Amino acid sequence: MKVLVVGGGGREHALVWKLKQSPRVKEVFCAPGNAGIAALATCVNIGAEDITGLLAFAKEKGIDLTLVGPEAPLCAGITDRFQEAGLKIFGPSRAAAEIEGSKVVAKDIMAKYSIPTAKYAVFTRPEEAVVYINQTGAPCVVKADGLAAGKGVIVAMDKETALDAVRSIMVDWDFGEAGKLVVVEECLVGEEVSILAFTDGVNVVPMVSSQDHKRVFDNDQGPNTGGMGAYAPAPVYTPTVHRQVMDEIVVPMIRALDAEGRTYRGVIYAGLMITAQGPKVLEFNARFGDPETQPVLSLLETDLVEIIDAILEKRLDSIDIKWKKQTSVCVVLASGGYPGSYEKGKVIKGLDQVPEDVMVFHAGTAEKQGDVVTAGGRVLGVTAAGPDILSAINSAYNAIEKISFEGMQYRKDIGYRAVERLQ
Ligand code: AMP
Ligand code: GLY
């Protein structure tokens, strides 16, 4: 079969890499892709949000299956458009994807169905949010309702920061339309974990757990990023926590979405805080996480196409999904200055010296006159698996020694929480 992957980051490189291992996949296209993906698939110069262009391409090439990486096309209804045109596509409908597209929609569904999450209030006018914050005080978390590329969430440790956040979102319109509504939330305390699950709308099969590292610097210092590294599985996700998460959060949410006329098919991502009162939802995403997908998929033994077919045919309970009993670590190599401004076009050296069992998933790279150059904030995700967290960490960091580009920065402590739990 011919498969089209929509997107061009590290997550999409991991998806393409996994799809290429399926005996059923003959050819993979990726729109727009990147320099690493180009080694495995035919990259086509169509933006991930150009739904009309993607649809025309899929029809012209006779694409048998399309997989969508990023949230923007899902929230814009790419799945509905492809299905209306009679094309097979993997990803939730626009109505289902709204759990990521609107934090208010997600919070209201969670409240209605008693799914544990932070207490919250929604505001349409900045003055009201200001009154509320002045009454309730800090710490609190201020969130723009809509999509803001991971930047619309401000964890405010003091009132001033919270009021600044309201101003930035609702008065200065720093996130545009995404800031028409604001959610002010209780600040949850605990360790975070990401649970991705496959679902056909009825059956729900969780993937191995994972943990992202959102802050740019070691020891979780500095501003939030798209994610500086991840590992899977995460030991904070114990069997007890797992039962709670499935029984109280993931399965009830899938049932709730069905009851609300938003039947969810695809991959659902629950960002959770494991608090002293048990797991609570920070956010739902309507897609694979980035960078969580890189370590998670590297542990998946089952053919991804078999899983997708089972979901699209609503028989996810008919297959047995198997995982390697290993730990996988992905360390992100980023451009100097990220998540602030950074330069592009730096030549990346040493990629050919990385051991074969280490996967270097490209995030922001391009090809220029025979060189691979940087083309984004997050550049590469060096991903290694091993029998335990320490060996996986060692393999990933040893491989990083071989790679260099001007300004390259990365965290030296990916996986530290798992290591601490060992001690
Ligand atoms: P989100 O995009 O909603 O996951 O938010 C990004 C990050 O902000 C999360 O990964 C958490 O680190 C933090 N965060 C979001 N909501 C809360 C909350 N209610 N309490 C504490 N931290 C939060
Ligand atoms: N790693 C966070 C996300 O994919 O949203």
Side-chain angles (χ1 to χ4, degrees):
M1 70 201 298
K2 287 188 199 169
V3 183
L4 169 65
V5 174
V6 176
R11 163 184 54 208
E12 287 77 20
H13 192 177
L15 286 168
V16 167
W17 169 81
K18 183 66 192 168
L19 288 167
K20 285 288 282 192
Q21 293 166 21
S22 169
R24 294 177 52 199
V25 172
K26 214 172 75 199
E27 205 177 354
V28 182
F29 297 88
C30 189
N34 62 38
I37 293 173
L40 299 172
T42 306
C43 293
V44 284
N45 193 15
I46 306 173
E49 290 167 49
D50 178 4
I51 296 177
T52 304
L54 292 167
L55 190 56
F57 176 81
K59 280 184 186 160
E60 178 203 314
K61 279 283 172 194
I63 297 292
D64 300 294
L65 170 68
T66 299
L67 254 81
V68 188
E71 60 276 16
L74 291 166
C75 292
I78 188 171
T79 301
D80 311 64
R81 290 273 302 278
F82 270 58
Q83 282 174 346
E84 279 155 24
L87 294 178
K88 209 158 114 176
I89 183 163
F90 181 67
S93 67
R94 178 194 203 130
E98 241 192 327
I99 57 162
E100 176 163 9
S102 167
K103 295 194 192 288
V104 173
V105 166
K107 292 296 278 193
D108 287 352
I109 294 174
M110 286 188 265
K112 182 168 168 189
Y113 293 88
S114 306
I115 293 167
T117 187
K119 291 193 198 79
Y120 72 108
V122 179
F123 300 98
T124 50
R125 295 178 344 131
E127 311 83 73
E128 290 163 0
V130 168
V131 170
Y132 179 81
I133 289 167
N134 276 324
Q135 275 168 7
T136 53
C140 66
V141 183
V142 181
K143 301 184 173 185
D145 173 57
L147 294 183
K151 296 193 185 108
V153 174
I154 296 99
V155 180
M157 297 316 289
D158 54 70
K159 223 153 79 175
E160 269 317 299
T161 309
L163 296 174
D164 279 349
V166 170
R167 199 170 313 126
S168 147
I169 297 170
M170 300 192 100
V171 181
D172 300 340
W173 283 86
D174 286 347
F175 306 99
E177 288 278 307
K180 273 171 101 169
L181 297 176
V182 145
V183 180
V184 181
E185 273 186 22
E186 161 200 16
C187 189
L188 299 176
V189 179
E191 188 173 336
E192 286 182 45
V193 65
S194 305
I195 298 304
L196 283 70
F198 295 109
T199 178
D200 59 8
V202 175
N203 303 289
V204 185
V205 181
M207 303 185 208
V208 291
S209 61
S210 55
Q211 188 172 67
D212 191 4
H213 299 63
K214 290 207 163 76
R215 304 297 192 99
V216 67
F217 300 128
D218 285 10
N219 298 315
D220 299 317
Q221 301 296 309
N224 266 333
T225 68
M228 294 297 288
Y231 63 92
V236 62
Y237 195 71
T238 60
T240 309
V241 173
H242 172 65
R243 271 190 301 276
Q244 286 176 303
V245 168
M246 292 309 288
D247 294 350
E248 295 166 21
I249 295 175
V250 181
V251 173
M253 189 64 178
I254 294 302
R255 300 281 175 269
L257 286 164
D258 194 43
E260 293 291 312
R262 300 173 186 267
T263 304
Y264 197 104
R265 275 184 207 98
V267 168
I268 189 166
Y269 168 131
L272 306 171
M273 188 73 92
I274 310 305
T275 74
Q277 292 78 43
K280 294 189 181 181
V281 176
L282 295 172
E283 63 166 345
F284 279 110
N285 291 328
R287 51 175 174 80
F288 281 100
D290 192 345
E292 290 96 326
T293 299
Q294 291 83 315
V296 167
L297 277 191
S298 77
L299 297 178
L300 177 61
E301 274 181 359
T302 311
D303 183 343
L304 184 57
V305 176
E306 295 293 336
I307 300 173
I308 290 173
D309 265 350
I311 290 172
L312 295 177
E313 291 162 15
K314 298 174 204 160
R315 50 166 184 83
L316 186 55
D317 54 342
S318 71
I319 60 165
D320 187 18
I321 299 179
K322 289 205 168 67
W323 301 91
K324 290 188 185 128
K325 300 239 168 340
Q326 290 188 325
T327 294
S328 182
V329 171
C330 168
V331 180
V332 170
L333 308 183
S335 294
Y338 175 77
S341 61
Y342 53 84
E343 289 175 14
K344 296 182 187 175
K346 309 292 181 194
V347 174
I348 303 170
K349 296 192 194 114
L351 288 171
D352 53 351
Q353 284 166 47
V354 170
E356 256 181 32
D357 58 346
V358 176
M359 282 304 309
V360 181
F361 292 119
H362 290 222
T365 67
E367 201 254 30
K368 197 174 158 195
Q369 290 156 1
D371 285 324
V372 176
V373 301
T374 66
R378 292 190 290 174
V379 177
L380 301 167
V382 180
T383 309
D388 53 46
I389 183 78
L390 288 174
S391 62
I393 288 173
N394 271 336
S395 305
Y397 282 103
N398 282 338
I400 289 171
E401 297 281 310
K402 313 279 183 203
I403 304 171
S404 65
F405 57 85
E406 196 189 313
M408 177 171 115
Q409 59 157 338
Y410 59 95
R411 279 181 60 160
K412 315 288 186 297
D413 65 346
I414 300 303
Y416 79 93
R417 285 203 166 87
V419 175
E420 277 173 2
R421 271 173 193 275
L422 284 178
Q423 288 154 4

